[in-house]
Amino acid sequence: MSQHRYLLREDQIPTNWYNIAADLPVPMPPPLAPDGSPLQPEMMTPIFPMELIMQEVSQDRWISIPDPVREVYALWRPTPLHRAINFEKVLGTNCKIFYKYEGVSPAGSHKPNTSIPQAYYNAQAGVKRLATETGAGQWGSSLSLACQLFGLECKVYMVRVSYDAKPYRRVMIETWGSEVVASPSNDTNAGRTILAANPSSTGSLGIAISEAVEDAATREDTNYALGSVLNHVLLHQTVVGQEAVEQMKMAGASPDVVVGCVGGGSNFAGLAFPFLAEKFAGADIKVIAAEPASCPSLTQGVYGYDFGDTAGMTPLLPMHSLGHSFVPPSIHSGGLRYHGMAPLVSHLVHTGLVEARAYQQRECFAQAVAFGRAEGIIPAPEASHAIRAVVDEVERARQEGVSRNILFNLCGHGNFDMAAYASYLSGEMVDSAYSQDELDRATAELAGMPALPA
Amino acid sequence: MSQHRYLLREDQIPTNWYNIAADLPVPMPPPLAPDGSPLQPEMMTPIFPMELIMQEVSQDRWISIPDPVREVYALWRPTPLHRAINFEKVLGTNCKIFYKYEGVSPAGSHKPNTSIPQAYYNAQAGVKRLATETGAGQWGSSLSLACQLFGLECKVYMVRVSYDAKPYRRVMIETWGSEVVASPSNDTNAGRTILAANPSSTGSLGIAISEAVEDAATREDTNYALGSVLNHVLLHQTVVGQEAVEQMKMAGASPDVVVGCVGGGSNFAGLAFPFLAEKFAGADIKVIAAEPASCPSLTQGVYGYDFGDTAGMTPLLPMHSLGHSFVPPSIHSGGLRYHGMAPLVSHLVHTGLVEARAYQQRECFAQAVAFGRAEGIIPAPEASHAIRAVVDEVERARQEGVSRNILFNLCGHGNFDMAAYASYLSGEMVDSAYSQDELDRATAELAGMPALPA
C-alpha cells in the first residue's frame, strides 16, 4: 500500500517556537511609532501583554511553548502531512507533491496555532476580554474558541462582506461564545467615521483592525489580538513547519519547493520559516508565496513603512503595502484581502529569499476542485492559491525534465466556503481586478511615510 | 502533559471487516422478498453487485478489505480516539470519557467507510452509475466522493427538507461531481406518486430510497447504494470499532459503556460491534443506542417485518419500525429521520444485548454546545444524541458512586449544521413531537406483514 500520510506522536508536538529573526542573513528594519519615532516595547502595553511584546521583539532562536498551550494543541496537533498521490496522477507528473494539512484543527485552519497562545498569555496577565478583527472568519472563530478555553470574553469585528456572505462562520464564533459584529460598525469611532463617509462600505481587514485596536485601547479590561502580520503571530505558526520538517524526513524526501498562500503571511510563514532555516544553512530550497491578483501586496505593492490598519492607529510597519486605505475588490478568499504583508515575509521577499506570485481566483478554484476530487479534501479558497502555484511548479519541472519534491500548506478546508464553490461550478464566478486608480491613490499616500533605513 | 489523543499508524488500518452475524448468540430472522417468500441472493442482482450481496448474507467472521479500499481509507484513517478531558472537567465527573472521532473524513462523517467499498465493488463489477438517497447529506456527499475516486457517475435523491435547509451539503455533492435532486422528485414514478398526493411533501428517507431503488432497477447501467441499515453497510463500518479496541488498549482503559446515536444504525454498529464481540465473550460492557424522540423506532416502533422504503420496493426486513409510510417531523438531525432500524441493531435490542434511549433535540444541542466549547469540536446534530446519553451515564455513575470508562462515537462534525446551532443559540429551536395519530396509522399497516419466525 502506498504511504499517504505521515503522522507524528503527541509527544512530538514541538516544545519551542522557531524565531526566524535570530537567523536572518540581513536584519529587518524596526517598526516605528505612529509618529515615526522609534517604537518602544512599553508603547504596546495598552493592547498586548508583556509576554507577547517580548516575543515580538525577541532575537532568541527558540521560544519555549508553555505546557498549557501544548495541552490545547494536542486537541488536534500534530497535524498530518499527506502525499498527494491521487493529485499527482491527475496532473500526470513524476514530481512528488506533499501537503501539510492544517484543516484538522477545530476551526478548520491554522489559526488556532496562535489564538491559543495569545489567549493563554492574556489570561495569564489578568486580561478579561479580547477584541479582534476577522476577514473570512477563520481567525475570529479560532480566537473565540481560544477565549472560551481560557475563560476570556471576546468581541469580533467581522469584515462586512464576509459577515453577510459567511453567516455560518458567524454562528461558529457565537457557538464558541463570542460576540460578533459587522465592520465597519457603529461601536467605534473608526467604524462610525467610515460609515459616515460610505454607509454601504463592505469593509476591509484594515478597517476592522482599526475598530478592534480602538476597542482594546479604550477599555481597561480589554486587549487586542491579531491573527497574522506581526512577528509573534508568525512565530506561533512555526509549529507547522517544524512538524513538516520531521514528517518530510519520515517520507525520505527533502523539499525542493515550499509553497504557501499569503494574505497577512502567517500560514506561509508557519510552514516556510523552519525550511528557510535550512536554506540559510545552505539547502537548495525554492520558497514561494502565492497571493491573490486582486490584492497583490507583494507583487504590486510598495516596500516601505505603512500603517497596519486603515485609521492609522497601529505602529508603522516595514512591509509591502498597497496603501493602508486601499480597499480590495470582493473575492472569495476573504482571508487574503489585506492591504499589507507581514514585515518578516516582506523582508524575505525584498532580500530575494522568497519568490512571490499572484493568481486570479478562477484559476485557483479550478485547481481546488481538481484537488478536492482527487484527494477528497475541499480546500479553503485561500489555500487554492498555493495549489495553483504548485501546478505551476509541476509544469516547470515537466519543461525542465526533472522531478521535484514540492511541499505546500493546505492551511484550511472549504467547508464554510461552499457558496464560493457553487459560484465557481455554476460559471458565475468572475476574476475581480483591483482598480488601478484606487491603487495609485492609496500608494500615493505612502510617499509621506518615513524612509526605510539604508 | 495529559494524553488527549490515541493515534494508530497507517499500517494499523484494519485488514478485515468484522461480521457480527458469525457471533450472534441468537441467529437473526432472515429477510423476505417483497411478496413474503424467502429472499434469494440473486433477487438482489438488479441493484447490487454480487460481492456486496455475498457480504450481506455472509456468516464468515472476517471479510478481507481489498487493498484499493484500504488505500483510500488511508486518506483519513486510522481516525483518532480522544479522551474528553475538558468535557470531563465541565461535567465534574471522575468517569473517563473517550470518543472515537469520525469527523476527520473528507465528508466529515463515518459514511465514507462504506461509500468507498460500495463504489469499489460496483466499479469492479463494471457498473457505470450509482443511484442513492441522502437525508442530511452526509451519505450523499460521501458516495459522491467515492464515485469520483472510482470513476462512476452518481445521482443523489436528497430529502426535500434537507435539500432546502442544507444547500452547502448539496454544493459539496456537486463539487465532488454528482447530480443531486430534491426528493420527492419528478424523475421517478415513486416521486411523482407522492407529489401528486402531496405537492408540498418535505420528503423522507423512505421516499428517497424508493426513488433511488426505482432509478437503479429501471436502468441497465445503474446500481443502488444504501448508506445504512443493511448488513454489508454495518459490516464496512466496523473499521471504527476495531481501531477503537486497539486505541482503548493504548489508553489502558476497558470501556464499561459504549454509546452511539442511531438513525439507520451504521455509525453505532461500526463502533459497537467489535466491543459486542468482547461482550459475547464475557466482558461486562453496557451498549447504548441513542435515538431522537421524534423518530423513535427502537423505543416506540414495532419489531417485525417491514419494507425499508416507503413505496414497498425493497425486501421485507426484520426490524423495529414506525411503519414504512411514517413521516417523522422535521428535526435538525436529518440523518436520524428513518422509519426503521438496521435488522442487526434491532435484533440486538430485541435480544437485550443493546439498550435504546430516546432524547429530544434541545437537550441534545445543549450538550453539543457544552461539548464543543470544552473540546473544540462542534458535533453533528446526530452525534449530539450520543453525547446526551453519555451525560446520562455520567450522572448514573455519580449516583452510584462509581467511576466508569465511557466511550462514544463522535460520528461527524457540525460544520454544515450551523443553521441548527443558530436556531438553538437564539432560543428558536423547539422539540418537535411526532403525531400519535400518524404513528398509530403507520404502525397499523404493519399488522398485515408476515410474522417473525418463532
Side-chain angles (χ1 to χ4, degrees):
Chain A
M1 193 167 87
S2 315
Q3 182 93 16
H4 288 74
R5 290 196 301 169
Y6 300 90
L7 303 176
L8 301 172
R9 300 184 311 275
E10 192 162 302
D11 61 13
Q12 291 175 291
I13 295 173
T15 52
N16 289 275
W17 292 299
Y18 168 62
N19 182 12
I20 198 171
D23 291 336
L24 289 174
V26 180
M28 194 166 70
L32 303 176
D35 65 0
S37 66
L39 183 71
Q40 306 301 329
E42 57 272 22
M43 297 168 76
M44 293 186 273
T45 55
I47 61 169
F48 292 123
M50 190 50 71
E51 285 281 346
L52 290 176
I53 294 171
M54 296 314 293
Q55 290 178 5
E56 186 68 19
V57 301
S58 173
Q59 295 293 315
D60 296 339
R61 181 172 290 111
W62 299 105
I63 294 176
S64 178
I65 305 177
D67 278 345
V69 171
R70 288 184 79 232
E71 287 258 356
V72 178
Y73 278 172
L75 287 174
W76 74 95
R77 302 210 73 84
T79 62
L81 184 136
H82 295 240
R83 168 118 181 252
I85 296 172
N86 295 338
F87 191 49
E88 289 171 15
K89 287 182 192 151
V90 168
L91 295 175
T93 181
N94 59 1
C95 289
K96 290 182 182 172
I97 302 174
F98 299 88
Y99 58 98
K100 181 71 168 166
Y101 184 40
E102 290 292 307
V104 295
S105 85
S109 80
H110 63 293
K111 292 292 185 187
N113 295 329
T114 184
S115 72
I116 300 298
Q118 289 193 51
Y120 167 76
Y121 287 119
N122 275 288
Q124 288 293 105
V127 172
K128 300 297 178 206
R129 180 176 174 274
L130 292 180
T132 197
E133 74 292 332
T134 197
Q138 289 183 340
W139 169 244
S141 53
S142 300
L143 191 68
S144 179
L145 171 62
C147 286
Q148 177 66 232
L149 292 173
F150 289 106
L152 299 173
E153 289 178 57
C154 179
K155 178 163 179 177
V156 179
Y157 295 85
M158 186 170 189
V159 176
R160 163 64 74 182
V161 64
S162 291
Y163 186 91
D164 292 335
K166 300 196 170 186
Y168 291 169
R169 272 281 172 199
R170 272 161 44 198
V171 179
M172 194 176 208
I173 293 168
E174 290 166 346
T175 301
W176 279 326
S178 294
E179 181 187 356
V180 53
V181 292
S183 168
S185 77
N186 277 310
D187 296 359
T188 66
N189 287 328
R192 285 186 290 268
T193 304
I194 299 280
L195 285 175
N198 179 9
S200 63
S201 168
T202 56
S204 71
L205 272 172
I207 294 168
I209 293 172
S210 293
E211 291 206 90
V213 169
E214 179 184 327
D215 182 319
T218 55
R219 282 186 58 158
E220 189 64 41
D221 64 346
T222 300
N223 264 352
Y224 170 66
L226 186 64
S228 190
V229 179
L230 296 179
N231 301 345
H232 69 272
V233 180
L234 277 53
L235 172 80
H236 298 155
Q237 292 293 348
T238 60
V239 291
V240 177
Q242 290 183 68
E243 289 178 6
V245 165
E246 293 306 311
Q247 289 164 310
M248 290 300 284
K249 285 181 192 162
M250 289 170 73
S254 304
D256 302 301
V257 185
V258 174
V259 181
C261 65
V262 281
S266 77
N267 95 77
F268 165 81
L271 179 67
F273 284 6
F275 288 99
L276 280 164
E278 299 187 354
K279 184 179 172 86
F280 298 155
D284 183 16
I285 305 176
K286 177 155 74 170
V287 182
I288 299 171
E291 67 181 7
S294 59
C295 192
S297 57
L298 284 174
T299 55
Q300 301 295 328
V302 174
Y303 184 58
Y305 280 110
D306 196 9
F307 293 109
D309 71 318
T310 300
M313 302 175 70
T314 74
L316 290 167
L317 301 173
M319 63 179 179
H320 288 82
S321 176
L322 300 163
H324 59 271
S325 67
F326 178 79
V327 176
S330 293
I331 55 171
H332 290 286
S333 303
L336 305 186
R337 270 177 92 246
Y338 182 59
H339 70 273
M341 180 56 62
L344 278 166
V345 174
S346 296
H347 179 71
L348 289 161
V349 169
H350 183 66
T351 53
L353 293 162
V354 169
E355 294 180 29
R357 310 255 178 89
Y359 297 104
Q360 295 287 355
Q361 66 177 350
R362 281 189 299 185
E363 60 183 330
C364 293
F365 270 91
Q367 297 306 331
V369 169
F371 180 90
R373 290 181 176 180
E375 293 293 316
I377 300 169
I378 300 176
E382 288 80 3
S384 73
H385 292 75
I387 300 173
R388 179 64 190 81
V390 167
V391 172
D392 258 1
E393 288 301 302
V394 162
E395 181 55 29
R396 188 174 308 234
R398 191 198 321 271
Q399 289 172 5
E400 297 174 10
V402 298
S403 165
R404 293 205 176 94
N405 297 327
I406 305 173
L407 168 66
F408 75 96
N409 198 1
L410 185 57
C411 58
H413 63 60
N415 287 359
F416 290 87
D417 301 281
M418 285 296 132
Y421 278 90
S423 169
Y424 175 76
L425 291 171
S426 69
E428 287 165 20
M429 183 180 284
V430 294
D431 289 333
S432 48
Y434 60 85
S435 149
Q436 188 64 46
D437 285 351
E438 167 72 358
L439 180 63
D440 292 345
R441 181 199 61 72
T443 52
E445 294 179 353
L446 298 173
M449 294 289 171
L452 289 168
Chain B
M1 195 166 85
S2 316
Q3 181 93 17
H4 288 74
R5 290 197 301 169
Y6 300 89
L7 303 175
L8 301 172
R9 300 184 311 276
E10 191 162 303
D11 61 13
Q12 291 176 291
I13 295 172
T15 52
N16 290 274
W17 291 299
Y18 167 62
N19 182 13
I20 198 171
D23 291 336
L24 288 174
V26 180
M28 195 166 68
L32 303 176
D35 65 0
S37 65
L39 183 71
Q40 306 301 329
E42 57 271 23
M43 297 169 76
M44 293 186 272
T45 55
I47 61 169
F48 292 124
M50 190 50 72
E51 285 281 347
L52 291 176
I53 295 171
M54 296 314 293
Q55 290 179 4
E56 186 67 19
V57 300
S58 173
Q59 294 293 314
D60 296 339
R61 180 172 291 112
W62 299 105
I63 295 177
S64 179
I65 305 177
D67 278 345
V69 170
R70 288 184 80 232
E71 287 258 357
V72 178
Y73 277 172
L75 286 174
W76 75 95
R77 304 209 71 85
T79 62
L81 184 136
H82 295 240
R83 167 116 180 253
I85 296 171
N86 295 338
F87 191 49
E88 289 171 15
K89 286 182 191 148
V90 169
L91 295 175
T93 180
N94 60 359
C95 289
K96 291 183 183 172
I97 302 174
F98 298 89
Y99 59 98
K100 180 71 167 167
Y101 184 40
E102 290 293 306
V104 295
S105 85
S109 79
H110 63 293
K111 292 291 186 187
N113 295 329
T114 184
S115 72
I116 300 299
Q118 288 194 52
Y120 167 76
Y121 287 119
N122 275 288
Q124 288 292 104
V127 171
K128 301 298 177 204
R129 180 175 174 274
L130 292 180
T132 198
E133 75 292 329
T134 197
Q138 290 184 339
W139 169 243
S141 54
S142 299
L143 191 67
S144 180
L145 171 62
C147 286
Q148 179 65 233
L149 292 173
F150 289 106
L152 299 173
E153 291 177 56
C154 179
K155 179 162 178 177
V156 179
Y157 295 85
M158 185 170 188
V159 176
R160 164 63 74 182
V161 65
S162 292
Y163 185 91
D164 293 335
K166 300 198 171 185
Y168 292 169
R169 273 278 173 201
R170 272 160 45 198
V171 179
M172 194 177 207
I173 294 168
E174 290 165 348
T175 301
W176 279 324
S178 295
E179 181 187 357
V180 52
V181 293
S183 169
S185 78
N186 277 309
D187 297 359
T188 65
N189 287 328
R192 284 187 291 269
T193 303
I194 300 280
L195 286 175
N198 179 10
S200 63
S201 168
T202 56
S204 72
L205 271 173
I207 294 168
I209 293 172
S210 292
E211 291 206 89
V213 169
E214 178 184 327
D215 182 318
T218 56
R219 283 187 57 159
E220 189 64 41
D221 64 345
T222 300
N223 264 352
Y224 170 66
L226 186 65
S228 190
V229 179
L230 296 179
N231 300 345
H232 70 272
V233 179
L234 275 55
L235 173 80
H236 299 154
Q237 293 294 348
T238 60
V239 292
V240 177
Q242 289 183 69
E243 289 177 6
V245 165
E246 293 306 312
Q247 289 163 311
M248 289 300 284
K249 285 180 192 163
M250 290 169 72
S254 304
D256 302 301
V257 185
V258 174
V259 182
C261 66
V262 283
S266 77
N267 95 76
F268 165 81
L271 179 67
F273 283 6
F275 288 100
L276 280 165
E278 299 187 353
K279 185 180 173 84
F280 299 156
D284 183 15
I285 305 177
K286 177 155 73 171
V287 182
I288 299 171
E291 67 182 6
S294 60
C295 191
S297 57
L298 284 175
T299 55
Q300 301 295 329
V302 174
Y303 184 57
Y305 280 110
D306 196 8
F307 292 109
D309 72 317
T310 300
M313 304 175 69
T314 72
L316 289 167
L317 301 174
M319 63 180 180
H320 288 82
S321 176
L322 301 163
H324 60 270
S325 67
F326 178 78
V327 176
S330 294
I331 56 171
H332 290 285
S333 303
L336 306 186
R337 270 178 91 248
Y338 182 59
H339 70 273
M341 179 56 62
L344 278 166
V345 174
S346 296
H347 179 71
L348 289 161
V349 169
H350 183 66
T351 54
L353 294 161
V354 169
E355 294 180 28
R357 309 255 179 89
Y359 296 105
Q360 295 288 354
Q361 68 176 348
R362 280 190 298 185
E363 60 183 328
C364 293
F365 270 92
Q367 297 306 330
V369 168
F371 180 89
R373 289 181 176 180
E375 294 293 315
I377 301 169
I378 300 176
E382 288 81 2
S384 73
H385 293 75
I387 300 172
R388 180 64 189 81
V390 167
V391 172
D392 258 0
E393 287 302 302
V394 161
E395 181 55 30
R396 188 174 308 234
R398 191 195 323 269
Q399 288 173 4
E400 298 174 8
V402 298
S403 165
R404 294 207 175 92
N405 297 327
I406 304 172
L407 168 65
F408 75 97
N409 198 0
L410 186 57
C411 59
H413 62 61
N415 288 359
F416 290 87
D417 301 282
M418 285 296 132
Y421 278 89
S423 168
Y424 175 76
L425 292 170
S426 68
E428 288 166 18
M429 182 180 285
V430 293
D431 289 334
S432 48
Y434 60 86
S435 147
Q436 189 64 45
D437 286 350
E438 166 71 358
L439 180 62
D440 292 344
R441 181 198 62 69
T443 51
E445 295 180 354
L446 297 173
M449 294 289 170
L452 289 169

